[in-house]
């Protein structure tokens, strides 16, 4: 198994994919803030990722569902405060995952220079 096939690498790539999907969902939710009847999307992957890592493969997929949060009179349930906080959290997680992947590349470059 190579460095980039490791459970950690696969899990980090799974997380990046899911976090990107979450960012798109948040943007879509905010874009539909005033759309009557729109129900916000929620992207979940953390439990699936945890199970995938525990199983030793790290490959996980995100699921997209509709929020069950209460709606306004127009049937829309997008809460701008919730979306902004979720966006900040998602961006921080994405940044952390990209730094971890960069660390793997740095370790590989270092190993190649010392041999």
């Amino acid at each position: 198994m190579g460095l980039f096939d490791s459970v950690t690498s696969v899990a980090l790539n799974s997380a990046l994919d899911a976090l990107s999907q979450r960012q798109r969902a948040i943007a879509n939710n905010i874009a539909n803030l005033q759309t009557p009847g729109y129900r916000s999307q929620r992207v979940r992957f953390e439990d699936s990722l945890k199970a995938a890592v525990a199983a030793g493969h790290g490959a996980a997929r995100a699921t997209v569902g509709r929020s069950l949060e209460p709606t306004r009179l127009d049937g829309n349930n997008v809460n701008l405060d919730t979306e902004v906080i979720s966006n900040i959290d998602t961006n921080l997680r994405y940044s952390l995952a990209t730094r971890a992947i960069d660390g793997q590349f740095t370790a590989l470059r270092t190993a190649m220079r010392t041999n």
Side-chain angles (χ1 to χ4, degrees), residues 56-67:
H57 57 79
R61 291 200 181 267
T63 59
V64 180
R66 293 290 175 183
S67 169

Side-chain angles (χ1 to χ4, degrees), residues 52-113:
V53 169
H57 57 79
R61 291 200 181 267
T63 59
V64 180
R66 293 290 175 183
S67 169
L68 300 176
E69 296 165 11
T71 63
R72 299 187 305 259
L73 292 177
D74 67 356
N76 185 306
N77 72 346
V78 176
N79 180 313
L80 187 57
D81 292 337
T82 300
E83 300 302 328
V84 169
I85 290 168
S86 182
N87 190 48
I88 292 168
D89 178 73
T90 301
N91 286 335
L92 289 172
R93 290 175 189 233
Y94 192 92
S95 178
L96 181 63
T98 56
R99 286 183 190 182
I101 288 173
D102 185 52
Q104 288 185 325
F105 282 115
T106 299
L108 180 62
R109 282 191 299 268
T110 302
M112 289 171 48
R113 275 188 250 145

Side-chain angles (χ1 to χ4, degrees), residues 1 7 16 47 56 59 72 80 103 111:
M1 182 182 284
V7 173
L16 285 175
D47 290 341
R72 299 187 305 259
L80 187 57

